[in-house]
Amino acid sequence: MRPYALMMDIDGKPATVVGGGMVALRKVTSLLECDARVTVVSPELVPELRRLADKGEIRWIEARFEPTRLDQDPRPVLVFGTTDRRDVNVATYRAAVERGIPCNIADVPDLCTFTVPATASRGDLLIAVSTGGASPALARRIREQLERHFGPEYATFTRIMAGLRKAVLATGRNSDENKALFLRIVDSDVLDALRQNDRERVVSRLRDLLPPEIDPEPIVHAALAAQVSESRGIDEKGR
C-alpha cells in the first residue's frame, strides 16, 4: 500500500495521546510544536510529561483509556496510542476508527490509519520521509542525511521567499511573470550568500532580480532577526 502524503494544520486543534511513557513524550512534543491542544490519557506519566501537565501545556486524564474518552468535547482530530499493551492499543484503535478519527499506534502498522513520517525541518521548510511503515529506521537515516544537507540558511531563505512572495503578488503582475521571477531567485546565489552570512550580498543580489519598486532590505532584515530569535529560543530550551 502506498500512503497518500498530506500536511495537516492542527494549530489549536485537539489531539489525544494514550500512554504516558517516553514514546508518548515524543508524540506530545511533536504535537505541541505544531500548537495542537494535547490531552494525555494514562494512569502515570514520565517526569517530562508531568512537568508539561503541571505547567498547563497539556491536559492529563489520570486514568486508563476508555473509548468514551474520545467522545468528550471537543473530539480529537488525531489519536495516538503509545502503550506497550496490545489490548489497550487495539481498544484505542477500534474506538478511533468507529468514530472516524485518524489513529496511529506507535510501531504497530496494522493498527494505524495513518503513519508519521520522519521529518527534517528548517523553519517553515519541512521535508518528510516515509517508507509507509516498512522501515522507520531507514526513514530516520534518510532524514539525518537531509538534515546535514539542508542547513539553517534554508530557514532564513524560506522566510525571505515568503516576504518576497507577498510583495511581488501585491504589484499585480501576471502569474507567469511571478513564477519566472521566483525561479530566478531560487536559482540565484542568494542561498550561498546566506550560508556565508553575507547579508549585503543577499540584499544586493535581490535588488538586481526584483522589480525596482520592491525593496528587499526590510524583508531580509526581518527574516534574519526571526532566525536569531528562533535560535535563541532553541538554546534556552536546551539549557
Side-chain angles (χ1 to χ4, degrees):
M1 179 191 71
R2 180 177 178 179
Y4 183 77
L6 176 71
M7 298 289 184
M8 184 177 185
D9 177 11
I10 58 172
D11 184 2
K13 296 180 174 62
T16 295
V17 177
V18 179
M22 295 306 296
V23 177
L25 175 62
R26 291 197 295 271
K27 300 297 184 184
V28 167
T29 300
S30 64
L31 290 167
L32 291 178
E33 288 173 351
C34 297
D35 298 318
R37 295 161 53 197
V38 182
T39 295
V40 176
V41 181
S42 178
E44 299 178 350
L45 298 180
V46 293
E48 294 89 343
L49 283 173
R50 187 178 287 271
R51 282 193 289 270
L52 291 173
D54 290 342
K55 291 190 294 184
E57 295 186 25
I58 63 173
R59 178 188 178 208
W60 177 27
I61 297 179
E62 189 177 357
R64 296 186 182 279
F65 175 76
E66 296 290 343
T68 54
R69 297 290 181 192
L70 302 185
D71 296 323
Q72 297 181 2
D73 188 38
R75 176 175 287 189
V77 297
L78 294 173
V79 172
F80 294 84
T82 67
T83 76
D84 56 4
R85 292 183 51 179
R86 176 80 181 181
D87 60 328
V88 176
N89 291 337
V90 170
T92 301
Y93 171 79
R94 287 177 176 170
V97 169
E98 288 170 0
R99 291 160 176 77
I101 304 171
C103 179
N104 174 274
I105 304 298
D107 297 323
V108 189
D110 62 313
L111 294 181
C112 293
T113 58
F114 75 96
T115 58
V116 180
T119 59
S121 62
R122 294 290 182 261
D124 289 334
L125 175 63
L126 180 66
I127 306 171
V129 181
S130 173
T131 60
S135 178
L138 176 59
R140 284 195 296 271
R141 176 58 59 84
I142 295 173
R143 182 207 68 200
E144 292 166 357
Q145 295 172 346
L146 289 169
E147 286 174 338
R148 289 192 292 270
H149 179 76
F150 293 91
E153 67 275 4
Y154 278 86
T156 306
F157 191 41
T158 303
R159 288 191 176 98
I160 290 173
M161 291 301 295
L164 293 178
R165 184 174 185 274
K166 182 177 180 181
V168 169
L169 293 180
T171 65
R173 287 174 167 78
N174 67 58
S175 59
D176 288 339
E177 289 178 320
N178 292 341
K179 180 180 179 179
L181 172 59
F182 295 139
L183 287 174
R184 287 197 298 272
I185 295 172
V186 170
D187 291 337
S188 72
D189 59 349
V190 169
L191 190 56
D192 290 333
L194 286 170
R195 190 178 292 114
Q196 297 166 16
N197 294 315
D198 191 342
R199 179 178 178 276
E200 291 184 3
R201 182 155 68 98
V202 171
V203 173
S204 175
R205 190 72 183 97
L206 288 173
R207 283 194 172 124
D208 292 340
L209 294 166
L210 290 164
E213 65 268 31
I214 297 177
D215 181 7
E217 186 161 11
I219 296 172
V220 172
H221 176 76
L224 291 170
Q227 183 63 27
V228 170
S229 177
E230 182 179 276
S231 298
R232 286 175 178 169
I234 292 173
D235 290 341
E236 289 175 359
K237 285 182 179 180
R239 291 174 185 168

